[in-house]
Structures are given as C-alpha cells and as structure tokens.
Amino acid sequence: SVVFLSIFVKFSVFFRARPATFMVTNSCGYTVWPGILSNAGVAPPSTTGFMLSPGESRAVAVADGWSGRMWGRTLCEQGSSGAGFACTTGDCGTGTVECSGRGAAPPATLAEFTLASVGGDDFYDVSLVDGFNVPVLVAPANGSCPTTDCPADMNAQCPPELRVVVAGAAVACRSACEAFGTEAYCCSGAHGTPATCAPTAYSRLFKAACPRAYSYAYDDATSTFTCAGGSAGYGVVFCPAGGSRYARWIIVVGRARHVVAIWHFDRFFLWTCACGQRRMHHAQLDTNYITVK
C-alpha cells in the first residue's frame, strides 16, 4: 500500500542516515598535515586540513553519503608574518592549514572514497595516479571489508627523472604524466580509453611496489575496493609500516631548506650552518623541520 511504502522509505532513510568517522593517524617519524577535499556538491567535514605530529590521531566525522579524498602534506611552514602557510608536497594552495575546497598539488598519494553509494555500498581506493609523497593505508572499521594501501616508500625507489628533491633528499615521486605530459602517460587524447592507454614502465614500477593501489588512470580491476553495506568508519594511516629509521631535520630560512640534523631513534645530531649568510643561532626542533628563530 501507499502507507506501507511511505513507512518503508522513511525507515530506510532513517536506517542509512548515519555519519561515518575517519580516524586519521600519523605513524610517520615526521609531522604530516592531512588535507581533505569533498567532491562537488558534497558537504565538507568540519575541518579540511590539520596537523598531526608523529604518533598522533584525529577523528573526522563526515555526513552520510560523503565522497571525496584525503592526502598528507609534508614539509609545511608558516610565513614569517603569520600568513602564507605552504607545504613542499601535497600543498592545497590556500595559504592556510585548512584546504577549504582545494585539492592537492601533485605529487601526492590520495585516499579516495565514495560512501553509501549504489545499494548502500562504499567504494574506496589508494591512488598514485597523481604521484606519491607519503605511504598510506585505508582500513574499514567493518572487519569483513578489505584494506588497501601503498605501504612502500616510493621516494626511496623513485627514478631520478621523477624525483622531487629537497636538500639532497627525495621527498616525493612524480607521476610520468606530470613529469612528461604526453598523451600516452596521461591517458588522454588518442590514449583516452582503457583500450588505448596501457601500463607503462613507470606505472609498473608503482604497481610492483604497491599492488593494491592505482598506478595509472585505468588500473581499476585491482585497485577499487568495495565494502558491501558500507562501514561506520575508516582508518587512514600515514606510514602504516611505521616511521623511517632515519629522519632528516631541515632548517627553513624563508623558502630555502638545508639539512642540519639527522635523528636516529631517541638520539639526534645537530650542527649549525651558515645558510644564505644567516647563521642559525636558535632552532625549534621538530621531527619534520627546524625553523630559524
């Protein structure tokens, strides 16, 4: 009957109208600034960017049916006047910690989600299509659903022609599309279909290191995961294999960065340097960078 149908629809909406909670964790040996971008027409969460120190977690609630992406930003700094926040990798270009509707500048490892989609199922993936900057794991709270990840440090094995280098260290690995811009690498133009865009030597390198992650645009078969019936939440973990044994500390003088310390477990070694004719006289230590005072 019409009455029964109305009650059923109302009950179904009530049953599925639940927010999901993302528990975002930084297991890296350095600070990460997560960024969040909702898809067009989707309400954003209460925060779209924040800082996580090593070992720190933060819960982020999203509305039912949320879709969008998350990523980690690294080597971030605030301008000397208190404005002009910027990150070396994954920057969203707003000049503040909040990304406010702006996405990540590549290269950046992306965790992508479409929640409560067809039949109430969730779809999610880890993507290296825009390159790599931080290892990431996505784990549904629903234990019957599979995890996906890119746990490898692609920066350590990135080909020289794709590396983003700061102070002599690779801090991100570009995609071949970003590096060379050809249709074959970007799956565009004459190569804009699954039949005409095949894996390349570069995407195979990404796939070998992270077999569950997207390595190029049409890598759907082994890279998109489904949580049947959805999940009440997800864990998003940066550096799921743990922090690096060695972490570089970097001194920030304006926009110039210089390695001035090496951290090894609980010990560190620090030396001063003349950086652009300005000698470091005091430093605020952090496992990501050092800012000259």
Side-chain angles (χ1 to χ4, degrees):
S1 70
V2 174
V3 173
F4 175 80
L5 179 60
S6 175
I7 293 173
F8 176 77
V9 169
K10 289 179 181 177
F11 175 78
S12 298
V13 170
F14 172 78
F15 182 77
R16 290 189 54 214
R18 50 157 179 79
T21 299
F22 288 88
M23 183 59 69
V24 187
T25 300
N26 178 18
S27 292
C28 303
Y30 49 86
T31 304
V32 173
W33 286 260
I36 303 174
L37 174 66
S38 301
N39 288 347
V42 176
S46 60
T47 180
T48 58
F50 49 94
M51 184 184 84
L52 288 179
S53 299
E56 188 178 3
S57 297
R58 178 167 176 173
V60 178
V62 298
D64 182 57
W66 184 81
S67 60
R69 56 181 54 180
M70 300 183 182
W71 68 95
R73 295 169 287 173
T74 65
L75 291 172
C76 302
E77 60 173 297
Q78 191 79 44
S80 58
S81 62
F85 179 85
C87 302
T88 299
T89 77
D91 189 49
C92 52
T94 60
T96 67
V97 176
E98 295 283 341
C99 286
S100 304
R102 300 282 293 274
T109 316
L110 304 177
E112 302 176 310
F113 302 89
T114 299
L115 307 184
S117 185
V118 179
D121 296 345
D122 293 350
F123 299 92
Y124 52 98
D125 65 80
V126 170
S127 175
L128 307 179
V129 174
D130 287 347
F132 173 96
N133 67 333
V134 183
V136 174
L137 174 141
V138 172
N142 183 341
S144 64
C145 297
T147 62
T148 183
D149 59 6
C150 179
D153 182 6
M154 287 301 302
N155 296 334
Q157 51 189 297
C158 185
E161 60 272 27
L162 301 184
R163 290 178 193 160
V164 176
V165 177
V166 173
V171 297
C173 189
R174 295 187 295 169
S175 68
C177 174
E178 184 196 358
F180 308 117
T182 68
E183 291 184 351
Y185 286 131
C186 296
C187 292
S188 60
H191 297 267
T193 68
T196 57
C197 191
T200 67
Y202 293 111
S203 68
R204 290 190 186 99
L205 176 68
F206 280 62
K207 197 66 175 179
C210 297
R212 288 183 290 271
Y214 266 88
S215 59
Y216 76 108
Y218 294 116
D219 193 12
D220 302 85
T222 60
S223 306
T224 297
F225 291 82
T226 304
C227 187
S231 178
Y234 286 84
V236 177
V237 183
F238 298 108
C239 301
S244 172
R245 180 180 178 91
Y246 293 94
R248 291 173 182 262
W249 271 331
I250 293 177
I251 187 168
V252 181
V253 183
R255 295 294 177 181
R257 292 178 170 89
H258 307 268
V259 173
V260 295
I262 301 294
W263 172 79
H264 176 254
F265 291 106
D266 295 326
R267 296 180 298 161
F268 69 90
F269 308 91
L270 177 66
W271 60 91
T272 60
C273 68
C275 303
Q277 305 303 313
R278 180 179 177 183
R279 189 172 181 81
M280 182 181 70
H281 54 89
H282 178 68
Q284 177 183 332
L285 298 184
D286 182 42
T287 50
N288 191 19
Y289 62 83
I290 300 173
T291 303
V292 167
K293 296 289 186 178

